[in-house]
């Protein structure tokens, strides 16, 4: 009866999908030299959330552009750079005014703009047309998204709305494309940043990983497993996925008994406490063969009023204070604030066998978008 009860509890939170991977995870061992922590904050940035009117949408964007400047300006990593916020903006919520304001924030060196999408029962033709158009607009109108120096094509990072990458929801809602990984690759996506999605049933068996997934165009959720990115390896499959930490929080238990899911989500009800920061680092997400370069990708839905006091106020301010004190002593840990694009570039540098300071490889493969050129240089000069 106890086993049945435990299984029922696991299924109620869709934990049966990934708990085996979590329990089989290798133990994290101490590193002989400093561990470099790449801290990447990605945001499902949705000004129209919950059907807000235009005035509310504008207030949300304006508050971010005002308060995030003040918060980020108080902090620096080992390279002298402020926190980098990656705004994954929804294609279906495009408003030029909002992107102009975010672009100005990014130009000052505080982050970059990437691509987010909510869709349902979509078609390949519609997906191609909509995504191509949106990427062109982001680049040409708002200075976002880099061009590949080898091919000249626009490149973008991606987060899928409702977590349903590659039609991964069992009932087929909120996507509709079993070949979405292939389409993203062909459209210029350099990496996906959707996961973890737990407790959603879209969560993959693969956790705490950076890996390549190969699409089966006739089946959903092809990214359930894949090939880990490794030092000395090369790109394979259709799409790289950079996951955030996922595990169990034994220090915060439901009804005092069952540990809660630690899914790297930051919001009002899930503030970024020092204990959570420690758990994110301990998850040890890394390129195989380079365990001393740890990637901490956390996420949020930044425009929801109930969360903004956390994201733009004392809790996240304290999170950065803790990161800069506990994980930036230069001996045991070195902290690097990175955008989604920079995280990808550092992954590719590790894959290519680069060593030393990963902060030197922020632009290893893909250059910065136009909207961040001036700001990056200004931030470095100020430091």
């Amino acid at each position: 009866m106890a086993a049945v009860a435990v299984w029922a509890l696991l299924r109620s939170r869709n934990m049966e999908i990934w708990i085996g991977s979590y329990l089989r995870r290798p133990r994290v061992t101490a590193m002989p030299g400093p561990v470099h922590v790449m801290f990447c904050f990605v945001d499902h940035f949705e000004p129209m959330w919950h059907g807000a009117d235009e005035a509310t949408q504008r207030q949300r964007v304006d508050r971010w552009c005002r308060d995030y400047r003040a918060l980020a300006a108080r902090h620096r990593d080992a390279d002298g750079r402020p926190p980098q916020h990656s705004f994954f903006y929804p294609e279906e919520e495009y408003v030029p005014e909002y992107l102009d304001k975010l672009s100005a924030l990014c130009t000052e060196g505080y982050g970059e703009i990437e691509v987010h999408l909510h869709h349902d029962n979509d078609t390949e033709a519609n997906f191609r047309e909509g995504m191509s158009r949106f990427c062109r607009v982001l680049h040409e109108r708002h200075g976002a998204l880099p061009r590949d120096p080898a091919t000249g094509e626009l490149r973008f990072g991606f987060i899928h709305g409702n977590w349903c990458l590659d039609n991964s929801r069992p009932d087929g809602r909120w996507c509709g494309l079993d070949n979405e990984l292939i389409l993203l690759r062909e459209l210029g996506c350099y990496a996906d940043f959707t996961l973890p999605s737990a407790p959603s049933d879209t969560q993959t068996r693969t956790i705490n990983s950076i890996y390549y997934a190969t699409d089966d165009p006739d089946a959903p959720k092809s990214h359930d497993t894949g090939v880990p990115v490794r030092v000395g390896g090369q790109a394979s499959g259709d799409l790289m996925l950079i996951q955030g930490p996922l595990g169990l929080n034994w220090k915060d238990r439901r009804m005092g008994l069952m540990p809660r899911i630690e899914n790297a989500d930051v919001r009002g009800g899930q503030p970024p406490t020092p204990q959570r920061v420690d758990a994110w680092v301990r998850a040890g997400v890394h390129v195989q063969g380079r365990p001393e370069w740890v990637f901490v990708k956390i996420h949020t839905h930044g425009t929801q009023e109930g969360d903004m006091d956390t994201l733009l106020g004392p809790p996240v301010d304290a999170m950065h204070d803790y990161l800069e004190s506990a994980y930036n002593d230069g001996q045991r840990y070195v902290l690097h604030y990175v955008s989604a694009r920079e995280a990808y570039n550092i992954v590719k540098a590790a894959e290519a066998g680069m060593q030393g300071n990963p902060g030197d490889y922020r632009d290893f493969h893909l250059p910065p978008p136009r909207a961040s050129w001036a700001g990056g240089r200004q931030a470095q000069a100020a430091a």
Side-chain angles (χ1 to χ4, degrees):
M1 291 180 62
V4 170
V6 169
W7 183 250
L9 182 59
L10 291 175
R11 285 185 60 84
S12 71
R13 302 289 282 167
N14 296 306
M15 291 172 63
E16 80 283 0
I17 297 170
W18 58 271
I19 193 65
S21 299
Y22 175 73
L23 295 175
R24 292 190 299 269
R25 72 196 188 282
R27 292 186 61 186
V28 177
T29 57
M31 297 292 116
V35 172
H36 292 265
V37 177
M38 269 58 70
F39 189 83
C40 179
F41 206 154
V42 304
D43 190 344
H44 307 216
F45 193 82
E46 302 164 4
M48 298 181 187
W49 176 75
H50 216 260
D53 60 28
E54 186 175 312
T56 301
Q57 297 170 29
R58 184 173 290 113
Q59 288 170 3
R60 291 168 173 172
V61 175
D62 288 347
R63 182 176 179 185
W64 263 94
C65 292
R66 179 187 69 241
D67 292 357
Y68 190 73
R69 279 183 173 92
L71 184 152
R74 292 193 289 271
H75 298 280
R76 289 294 185 274
D77 67 4
D79 306 307
R81 300 185 71 234
Q84 298 295 299
H85 204 81
S86 294
F87 297 91
F88 283 76
Y89 195 96
E91 182 271 341
E92 75 281 0
E93 295 189 14
Y94 175 66
V95 176
E97 174 192 341
Y98 307 158
L99 267 302
D100 284 342
K101 291 175 177 178
L102 290 180
S103 178
L105 180 66
C106 294
T107 298
E108 294 177 29
Y110 294 118
E112 295 180 12
I113 297 166
E114 300 288 357
V115 177
H116 189 31
L117 178 69
H118 302 84
H119 59 155
D120 189 20
N121 195 30
D122 208 350
T123 66
E124 179 175 331
N126 183 69
F127 184 79
R128 285 184 182 277
E129 193 279 329
M131 289 287 288
S132 297
R133 181 185 64 251
F134 189 50
C135 288
R136 287 195 303 271
V137 168
L138 286 178
H139 182 73
E140 295 170 3
R141 166 71 191 263
H142 305 288
L145 307 186
R147 287 196 179 276
D148 190 304
T151 67
E153 72 171 329
L154 290 176
R155 305 296 301 276
F156 63 94
F158 186 69
I159 288 178
H160 199 296
N162 305 111
W163 314 111
C164 299
L165 179 67
D166 201 43
N167 214 21
S168 55
R169 184 163 152 152
D171 64 4
R173 293 298 309 277
W174 310 120
C175 182
L177 300 171
D178 285 345
N179 62 336
E180 191 166 41
L181 304 186
I182 292 173
L183 295 176
L184 286 168
R185 171 179 55 79
E186 292 178 350
L187 290 166
C189 181
Y190 61 77
D192 176 84
F193 294 83
T194 302
L195 296 164
S197 62
S200 167
D201 51 9
T202 61
Q203 175 61 45
T204 55
R205 283 183 288 163
T206 301
I207 64 171
N208 297 330
S209 297
I210 302 171
Y211 65 107
Y212 292 110
T214 298
D215 205 342
D216 178 347
D218 299 315
K221 205 177 186 180
S222 298
H223 57 294
D224 200 31
T225 59
V227 177
V229 180
R230 62 179 179 84
V231 174
Q234 58 185 359
S236 65
D238 292 299
L239 191 63
M240 179 190 291
L241 290 93
I242 299 178
Q243 296 185 324
L246 175 62
L248 298 178
N249 185 344
W250 292 93
K251 295 183 178 180
D252 184 9
R253 307 189 186 199
R254 300 176 66 188
M255 299 177 288
L257 298 173
M258 291 298 296
R260 295 184 184 274
I261 296 173
E262 172 52 71
N263 60 1
D265 188 6
V266 175
R267 56 180 63 229
Q270 295 175 262
T273 62
Q275 292 78 15
R276 292 190 72 197
V277 174
D278 293 342
W280 298 337
V281 175
R282 282 198 309 270
V285 179
H286 65 277
V287 172
Q288 284 194 357
R290 189 70 75 241
E292 70 275 18
W293 290 10
V294 172
F295 293 79
V296 174
K297 179 188 72 71
I298 65 173
H299 65 270
T300 193
H301 288 72
T303 61
Q304 300 181 15
E305 279 75 12
D307 302 327
M308 280 196 275
D309 286 344
T310 294
L311 298 168
L312 298 169
V316 164
D317 201 19
M319 175 193 76
H320 288 299
D321 283 339
Y322 183 69
L323 281 164
E324 291 155 19
S325 60
Y327 292 101
N328 199 34
D329 61 8
Q331 300 298 317
R332 296 180 62 232
Y333 294 100
V334 182
L335 176 68
H336 308 276
Y337 290 131
V338 296
S339 67
R341 177 191 60 85
E342 291 170 338
Y344 164 78
N345 277 330
I346 295 171
V347 167
K348 294 298 288 184
E351 183 181 50
M354 299 296 107
Q355 301 182 41
N357 176 18
D360 293 338
Y361 303 114
R362 285 184 167 92
D363 303 327
F364 179 75
H365 180 64
L366 295 176
R370 289 182 293 126
S372 69
W373 287 352
R377 294 180 181 129
Q378 290 167 3
Q380 292 279 14

